[in-house]
Amino acid sequence: MYRIEGLLRQIKTQPQMLVEEGVDYIFYSLLGRCVFNQDFGGKNISDIDKYFCTWFGRWLTGWIKENIDQQYEPKTLWWYHDIKMIAGDEQNEAKVFFDLCDQFFEDYRERKMDHIEKVLRPMKIRPKMYVAEEGVDHIFYFFLGCCVCYQDFGDKDIPDMDKYFCTWFGRWFTGWIKENIDQQYEPKTLWWYHDIKMIAGDGQDEAKIFFELCDRFYKDYRRNEDVFRKIYCNYGDEIILPEKKGYKSMHIEGLIALIKKRDMVLVEDERTDYICQFLMGYYYSASAYVIDKVTSDMDKNFWTWFGRWLVGWIQENIDQQYEPKTSWWYHDIKMIAGDEQNEVKVFYNLCDQFFEDYRERRGYFAEDRL
């Protein structure tokens, strides 16, 4: 919580102790605090604590234009006049102000959201845009792929939370279970989606439980980031990335090779749907957030290219009329394999052929088709 935000809560709950009644008095109290923070705060004071009065005024003008009057222009910098105009009467103006403050800070935090936090919101509403199935296991592997991508290509511009979300959430979640369900609880695996399934039980919406837990997780993280890091974040959280394992060319090829060798266990159960979901998360992050850092065309386009190449392979070798029913190509792998025990092996063999075709520029990658 920002310092100015804490002050607002105190004024809201105990106004008589801090200011006289009225939004104009609240304004001047906050203005004084902002000036003090600018004067003496130094680097330890956040920008929002220094410039709240200015930023809130600009935001409020935008809010009025969006919700009340598109042509509105404030007559003064003293935005408490605008609050009075919105409220209509003195008895209501303080409540209107505090409600608007809540919305202001929500908008401000959303602007500062980490990449994964931004994805969580639309995924909660339309999960099928990101995962093949709405189970928490598929969601887990999507975000694991995101984290690996951010570690792979990220630098200081990528927040630590994006790189280590899966690790930090798992540690926090164990603490949450001990505090709320079972003090003696110890997870049997690092794959925390099993714990969410355990909490959900039969017939409950495990994805809904996950998103609710994520809200609490980020609130704890934002409340006091320094304390959070001391409890849940360790050095050595990094995953050993493909280039450190000797794969110098395409990162995605190195990852698939590592999954196959189980040199680093990225996928708990070797299932094509889990591998597919992991690679989708990796691809999504590479194409959406670190595209400027990705130098290989294959790393940028693997998901799309492999799916199209696979359809062509099926049409050439199995069924000339074949058309996929979904963009999740693991269904096509299952169809080719015929049984679950064989599907992962089929996937790895097809990947070898896919990368060979890419290097030799044949079939789907022939020069006249690119």
Side-chain angles (χ1 to χ4, degrees):
M1 182 187 297
Y2 302 105
R3 299 184 186 194
I4 203 81
E5 194 176 6
L7 176 61
L8 280 163
R9 290 196 178 184
Q10 287 181 295
I11 295 173
K12 182 178 180 180
T13 55
Q14 297 177 312
Q16 66 279 3
M17 293 183 63
L18 296 167
V19 294
E20 289 194 43
E21 189 175 347
V23 73
D24 45 351
Y25 287 102
I26 295 173
F27 169 86
Y28 284 112
S29 175
L30 295 170
L31 182 62
R33 179 61 63 91
C34 288
V35 171
F36 177 85
N37 288 340
Q38 291 180 45
D39 217 359
F40 299 103
K43 294 181 179 179
N44 295 324
I45 299 294
S46 69
D47 287 342
I48 195 72
D49 290 319
K50 295 177 182 176
Y51 309 121
F52 170 80
C53 283
T54 304
W55 292 357
F56 180 82
R58 293 171 184 166
W59 175 90
L60 182 60
T61 298
W63 186 92
I64 295 172
K65 287 182 176 180
E66 186 176 343
N67 294 277
I68 298 177
D69 178 3
Q70 291 183 344
Q71 308 303 317
Y72 184 78
E73 291 297 335
K75 297 179 175 62
T76 170
L77 295 175
W78 318 105
W79 44 253
Y80 62 83
H81 295 291
D82 302 320
I83 300 288
K84 289 176 178 288
M85 178 273 294
I86 296 169
D89 63 84
E90 291 185 2
Q91 292 182 332
N92 196 38
E93 62 188 39
K95 182 178 184 301
V96 168
F97 169 65
F98 290 122
D99 289 343
L100 287 167
C101 282
D102 290 341
Q103 192 167 341
F104 167 79
F105 279 107
E106 183 178 341
D107 286 356
Y108 179 73
R109 285 192 173 88
E110 185 168 347
R111 181 186 68 85
K112 293 175 70 65
M113 277 184 178
D114 302 329
H115 298 150
I116 285 179
E117 193 175 5
K118 288 178 181 176
V119 176
L120 279 163
R121 289 198 170 187
M123 180 186 279
K124 182 178 181 179
I125 299 169
R126 299 182 66 185
K128 287 294 185 74
M129 290 181 62
Y130 302 90
V131 292
E133 299 177 25
E134 294 182 40
V136 72
D137 47 351
H138 282 252
I139 293 171
F140 169 86
Y141 282 111
F142 175 86
F143 284 119
L144 183 61
C146 292
C147 290
V148 171
C149 180
Y150 291 134
Q151 290 186 45
D152 209 351
F153 294 103
D155 50 24
K156 293 180 180 178
D157 295 332
I158 302 294
D160 286 345
M161 178 58 81
D162 286 328
K163 296 176 183 176
Y164 311 124
F165 168 80
C166 283
T167 304
W168 293 357
F169 180 85
R171 293 174 184 158
W172 172 89
F173 186 35
T174 297
W176 184 89
I177 294 174
K178 288 181 176 181
E179 185 176 341
N180 293 277
I181 298 176
D182 179 2
Q183 290 182 345
Q184 308 303 317
Y185 184 78
E186 290 297 333
K188 297 179 177 63
T189 169
L190 295 175
W191 318 100
W192 42 254
Y193 62 85
H194 293 294
D195 302 319
I196 293 182
K197 287 178 178 286
M198 178 268 295
I199 292 172
D202 295 329
Q204 292 195 50
D205 189 345
E206 60 190 44
K208 180 182 177 183
I209 290 173
F210 166 70
F211 291 121
E212 289 173 352
L213 286 166
C214 281
D215 289 341
R216 298 182 190 183
F217 169 75
Y218 275 103
K219 282 180 182 176
D220 282 359
Y221 177 65
R222 301 259 183 248
R223 187 176 294 118
N224 195 323
E225 186 175 336
D226 291 337
V227 172
F228 185 96
R229 283 176 173 270
K230 288 178 182 178
I231 298 173
Y232 301 113
C233 314
N234 298 328
Y235 292 104
D237 285 335
E238 295 84 357
I239 294 172
I240 302 301
L241 303 174
E243 71 273 14
K244 297 176 183 177
K245 288 283 188 178
Y247 297 97
K248 299 294 186 183
S249 55
M250 296 171 290
H251 294 232
I252 200 77
E253 186 180 17
L255 280 174
I256 292 171
L258 291 175
I259 295 170
K260 181 179 179 180
K261 293 171 62 179
R262 298 188 72 77
D263 197 5
M264 64 175 182
V265 183
L266 289 170
V267 180
E268 181 187 25
D269 297 323
E270 281 196 294
R271 290 171 38 175
T272 53
D273 54 342
Y274 287 172
I275 296 171
C276 175
Q277 201 66 76
F278 170 83
L279 294 173
M280 176 56 177
Y282 187 94
Y283 162 78
Y284 176 85
S285 298
S287 60
Y289 293 112
V290 292
I291 189 71
D292 57 322
K293 300 177 177 66
V294 181
T295 57
S296 164
D297 287 339
M298 177 57 74
D299 289 327
K300 296 176 184 177
N301 299 292
F302 171 80
W303 179 269
T304 306
W305 286 358
F306 184 78
R308 293 174 182 170
W309 175 90
L310 183 59
V311 171
W313 186 92
I314 295 172
Q315 290 175 347
E316 185 177 340
N317 295 276
I318 299 176
D319 178 2
Q320 291 183 346
Q321 307 302 318
Y322 183 78
E323 291 297 332
K325 296 180 176 62
T326 170
S327 60
W328 301 98
W329 39 254
Y330 72 84
H331 294 292
D332 304 319
I333 302 285
K334 288 177 178 289
M335 179 274 295
I336 297 169
D339 64 85
E340 291 184 2
Q341 293 181 333
N342 196 39
E343 65 187 44
V344 174
K345 180 182 177 184
V346 169
F347 168 68
Y348 291 136
N349 290 339
L350 287 167
C351 280
D352 290 341
Q353 191 169 339
F354 168 78
F355 286 117
E356 185 178 331
D357 282 359
Y358 176 71
R359 288 193 176 84
E360 298 295 329
R361 290 295 189 268
R362 65 190 180 208
Y364 175 78
F365 299 106
E367 295 292 345
D368 59 346
R369 298 184 60 180
L370 292 177

